[in-house]
Amino acid sequence: QEGFVCAAGTMTAVIDRGQGKENFEMKDGDALYVPAFVWHGFENFSADAVMLAFSSTNYRADRSDYCEDYEKYVREFRSKIGA
């Protein structure tokens, strides 16, 4: 589980809750909760953007426990959220 806060500027959150990717525009003060096994990423950061990220777990420094390949996520993890 993770939480993200747009502390300054703007950004776009890209989320897949099991029905395909959705974009959410975030501005200063907006927050987003992301449950386990929900695909998420961020793009379109403004020059002054600051994001705070909070996680319920520790990640390995080499990120080997994190799926960064969307197609792999669809094949292996999407079913864990009931999609």
Side-chain angles (χ1 to χ4, degrees), residues 54-73:
F54 304 91
S55 178
S56 64
T57 61
N58 293 322
Y59 289 109
R60 295 181 182 155
D62 65 4
R63 295 180 62 86
S64 62
D65 60 341
Y66 196 81
C67 178
E68 296 189 56
D69 180 322
Y70 180 72
E71 296 306 319
K72 179 179 178 181
Y73 161 78

Side-chain angles (χ1 to χ4, degrees), residues 9-56:
T10 61
M11 62 198 67
T12 302
V14 181
I15 308 295
D16 183 344
R17 295 180 286 184
Q19 306 300 316
K21 290 183 182 179
E22 301 174 82
N23 291 345
F24 297 93
E25 303 303 318
M26 297 179 70
K27 63 184 183 319
D28 188 8
D30 287 346
L32 179 68
Y33 166 72
V34 180
F37 301 111
V38 171
W39 176 265
H40 58 284
F42 296 88
E43 59 190 22
N44 303 325
F45 289 89
S46 64
D48 62 339
V50 176
M51 180 203 308
L52 303 175
F54 304 91
S55 178
S56 64

